[in-house]
Amino acid sequence: MTTAIKDSLFIKSAFSQSTERPPVWMMRQAGRFMKEYWAIKNKYSFLEMCKTPEIAADVTMLPVDLLGIDAAILFSDILVTAEAMGGNLDFIQGVGPKFSNPVRSKQDIDALQTEVEDRLQYVADAIKVIQQRLAGSIPLIGFAGAPFTVLSYLIEGGSSKDFKRTKLFLNNEPALAHQLLAKIAKVTADYLNMQIAAGVNALQLFDSWALALSWDDYREFSHRYNVDIISQLDRQDIPIISFCKGSSVFAPLMAEARPDVISVDWNADLKHVKNSLPKGVAVQGNLDPYVLYADRAVIKKKILNLFERMRGEEGFIFNLGHGIMPDIPFDNVKYAIDLVKGFRY
Ligand code: CP3
């Protein structure tokens, strides 16, 4: 990592060093709330965009150029690992991801591949193109889906509100669930190490739907695989961010996996979470994204409240509690980012 990147607001905050203000980026910053995204999306399918390094780089750069955020995030999806393992994945407009061959049996699990680095080479290629475009200006965050969250899509065959099939599978077929989780974890660790080798400056593990699990099930079916993955990473000087919806409950367990940063949903008081964590674990978050639909005065008030709450804390990265929704007005996102950038501790 270059000295300039090491000294960036984002990397320093991720390693709990003091900065003049918190860095800001937003989950789903490279996406549908920008008309410039649609100009590209209307020409290609989502997977074509992910798999063509020049296009993935174009989309990654949109929020860098249009919003002036403090860290870029690779344009891709958490489900590319499952696709590389053998899932027939399609992203259907207005519906979301769909696997036409959901995993339902031991046979289905046995059929999934675990030596898939070649099939994910396009991601390494995209990272190299993006780093050329960024030219050392701001850090690039790579990412992957955590095994439990990826498993939920493979089992359900797509998104789910209640995770009924997933939970039934964990409850009735725990041995099979562990077989599947172990396979995904192996692919995920290799994939993240590939991203490090290709040049990312930070990594985020997305366990978006961990919130569906009880404490014991989270420990058994999610947490231990995240521990395995994080322990296998060739971390060098790269911070690791651990995200889940539910982190306000699971943060003490998440910290045991030794991430540098825990990304917190909007339910929790961020300072309270920070103070409950071991020293040296930073927090990221946690504005309710729905605030960004509101009037400017409301956006300003809520963001300032969060700052005042976090003033004096080392290791705070400003983000949302979850991703930007597609219909949030672009100008409100820009307004929020400019506000954070104007803040001084
Ligand atoms: O943050 C970024 O801007 C980087 C790119 C990124 C995408 N997906 C692009 C995307 C990242 C980091 C993700 C992660 C992701 N994908 C997660 C974890 C984060 C989270 O939100 O919890 C999850 C659960 C997915 C799975 C997924 N991908 C869903 C459920 C959907 C469709 C519905 C939805 O919420 O968007 C996608 C598609 C997707 N991934 C789009 C984008 C820009 C939309 C594609 C389109 O234009 O149709």
Side-chain angles (χ1 to χ4, degrees):
M1 220 186 292
T2 63
T3 317
I5 294 292
K6 263 190 190 146
D7 288 343
S8 65
L9 291 171
F10 175 81
I11 298 291
K12 285 176 83 172
S13 301
F15 285 130
S16 295
Q17 296 159 7
S18 67
T19 54
E20 71 264 22
R21 66 165 171 89
V24 51
W25 74 280
M26 291 185 185
M27 288 184 265
R28 293 288 172 95
Q29 66 189 13
R32 291 161 293 178
F33 71 104
M34 287 183 279
K35 64 179 188 310
E36 293 80 1
Y37 174 85
W38 286 106
I40 302 172
K41 179 66 210 292
N42 288 335
K43 291 190 267 181
Y44 310 96
S45 75
F46 178 67
L47 275 175
E48 272 177 313
M49 289 165 70
C50 294
K51 290 185 176 185
T52 314
E54 293 290 335
I55 300 173
D58 288 346
V59 183
T60 301
M61 292 304 288
L62 290 176
V64 179
D65 296 335
L66 301 172
L67 291 168
I69 33 76
D70 294 312
I73 181 161
L74 166 73
F75 181 75
S76 186
D77 197 79
I78 62 162
L79 297 178
V80 297
T81 43
E83 196 237 12
M85 292 173 79
N88 293 325
L89 175 63
D90 204 357
F91 286 88
I92 298 160
Q93 205 63 67
V95 178
K98 283 279 165 212
F99 286 102
S100 64
N101 57 343
V103 172
R104 299 282 158 83
S105 66
K106 175 150 176 53
Q107 253 180 337
D108 296 337
I109 298 170
D110 287 340
L112 293 170
Q113 309 286 309
T114 53
E115 297 298 333
V116 295
E117 272 185 66
D118 288 355
R119 293 197 199 167
L120 291 165
Q121 181 58 39
Y122 63 87
V123 178
D125 295 341
I127 289 166
K128 288 174 195 157
V129 178
I130 296 163
Q131 286 292 30
Q132 277 165 13
R133 304 254 190 112
L134 287 170
S137 54
I138 52 169
L140 173 64
I141 306 167
F143 69 92
F148 167 72
T149 291
V150 172
L151 169 142
S152 78
Y153 284 98
L154 280 171
I155 299 281
E156 303 281 346
S159 300
S160 170
K161 280 200 178 68
D162 56 10
F163 301 93
K164 188 171 160 187
R165 246 182 222 280
T166 304
K167 291 193 189 193
L168 193 61
F169 184 71
L170 302 185
N171 283 326
N172 281 352
E173 303 285 357
L176 287 186
H178 284 300
Q179 189 196 346
L180 177 53
L181 289 163
K183 281 187 130 177
I184 302 170
K186 191 247 176 243
V187 167
T188 308
D190 290 348
Y191 176 57
L192 290 174
N193 279 325
M194 181 186 91
Q195 293 187 35
I196 295 175
V200 295
N201 308 115
L203 285 172
Q204 180 156 327
L205 189 60
F206 282 95
D207 203 357
S208 301
W209 309 128
L211 182 70
L213 296 173
S214 69
W215 180 271
D216 286 346
D217 286 346
Y218 174 74
R219 193 198 288 275
E220 179 175 351
F221 296 106
S222 168
H223 174 59
R224 58 185 261 198
Y225 294 96
N226 298 346
V227 172
D228 276 2
I229 290 167
I230 293 176
S231 71
Q232 285 175 60
L233 298 180
D234 177 18
R235 289 167 88 143
Q236 304 167 19
D237 47 6
I238 291 171
I240 312 294
I241 309 169
S242 184
F243 167 78
C244 74
K245 272 194 92 180
S247 52
S248 43
V249 177
F250 297 131
L253 274 181
M254 291 167 83
E256 287 175 11
R258 304 204 147 273
D260 300 288
V261 185
I262 292 179
S263 192
V264 182
D265 54 65
W266 67 83
N267 299 94
D269 174 71
L270 195 57
K271 183 167 176 160
H272 181 78
V273 173
K274 175 94 173 67
N275 291 340
S276 71
L277 292 170
K279 215 176 148 18
V281 181
V283 288
Q284 172 174 281
N286 76 339
L287 189 75
D288 178 352
Y290 287 82
V291 169
L292 296 180
Y293 288 113
D295 296 335
R296 291 264 164 111
V298 178
I299 296 173
K300 184 171 182 178
K301 183 164 164 272
K302 303 245 173 176
I303 290 179
L304 285 176
N305 284 348
L306 183 53
F307 282 146
E308 286 312 324
R309 195 76 189 122
M310 295 306 287
R311 191 189 281 280
E313 299 288 333
E314 279 164 11
F316 166 43
I317 297 167
F318 184 94
N319 205 312
L320 306 175
H322 201 186
I324 304 175
M325 274 76 68
D327 59 347
I328 288 182
F330 175 88
D331 290 345
N332 289 4
V333 178
K334 176 101 180 89
Y335 176 73
I337 287 166
D338 288 343
L339 208 64
V340 181
K341 290 172 77 175
F343 186 79
R344 291 294 175 276
Y345 281 128

